[in-house]
Amino acid sequence: DRTAQQLMADALMVNGASLGWAVDWGLTDWLVPAGAWSLRGSYIDAVNDIAAAAGGYVQPHPTDATLRILPRYPVAPWNWGSVAPDFEIPDHAVEVEGTEYIDKPGYNKVFVGGVGAGVFGPFKRAGTAGDILAPQVTHALITHADAHRQRGLAELSDTGTQASVKL
């Protein structure tokens, strides 16, 4: 058994020697049973696959040999009104060049689960009827409730009408 973070560290090694990349883990870690996951491909394919399993993505540090593993949605969009932004761009420093609206289905429930081992079940947006079902999501690394919750949140956050604003 390994945690997802340990799997990623292992993927960045060759014969027990590090490739020189550090991992800045920004997801909630979870346990993966032995034999639940395997992948053929490059080192970065493995890193991307592990991050994506829980709805995350990989962002390389601009100057250091560090890979930041971040959630696509640190806070659900329906809760954005109650959080303070990490930073604000002053009005006088930007100009809106265009806004494009993207209409996606307003899903409020998705079934998320592992493949050979792990958890499987519904993830529903709290406060909704859970009556608009998104396509099912499976991944071999969804082996724990923490991975299930993070992936479910990512899936339901990328729904509804969205504005793409170019500054």
Side-chain angles (χ1 to χ4, degrees), residues 132-158:
I132 306 171
L133 195 60
Q136 176 178 302
V137 175
T138 58
H139 193 287
L141 287 172
I142 300 175
T143 58
H144 188 274
D146 289 334
H148 179 269
R149 179 186 48 75
Q150 291 175 105
R151 182 61 181 267
L153 177 65
E155 294 297 321
L156 294 185
S157 292
D158 190 24

Side-chain angles (χ1 to χ4, degrees), residues 20-43:
W21 286 88
V23 172
D24 180 6
W25 189 262
L27 302 174
T28 301
D29 208 1
W30 70 97
L31 187 64
V32 179
W37 177 75
S38 66
L39 182 84
R40 293 184 80 128
S42 67
Y43 304 109

Side-chain angles (χ1 to χ4, degrees), residues 76-79 106-113 120-135 137 145 147-157 159:
W78 51 89
N79 292 329
Y107 299 127
N108 56 20
K109 184 176 181 180
V110 62
F111 282 86
V112 178
F120 183 84
F123 182 88
K124 182 177 94 77
R125 180 177 164 184
T128 69
D131 56 343
I132 306 171
L133 195 60
V137 175
H148 179 269
R149 179 186 48 75
Q150 291 175 105
R151 182 61 181 267
L153 177 65
E155 294 297 321
L156 294 185
S157 292
T159 63

Side-chain angles (χ1 to χ4, degrees), residues 10-66:
D10 289 348
L12 293 171
M13 292 186 149
V14 176
N15 296 326
S18 173
L19 293 172
W21 286 88
V23 172
D24 180 6
W25 189 262
L27 302 174
T28 301
D29 208 1
W30 70 97
L31 187 64
V32 179
W37 177 75
S38 66
L39 182 84
R40 293 184 80 128
S42 67
Y43 304 109
I44 196 65
D45 289 341
V47 169
N48 282 324
D49 194 56
I50 295 166
Y57 70 99
V58 180
Q59 180 187 69
H61 189 277
T63 57
D64 299 336
T66 301

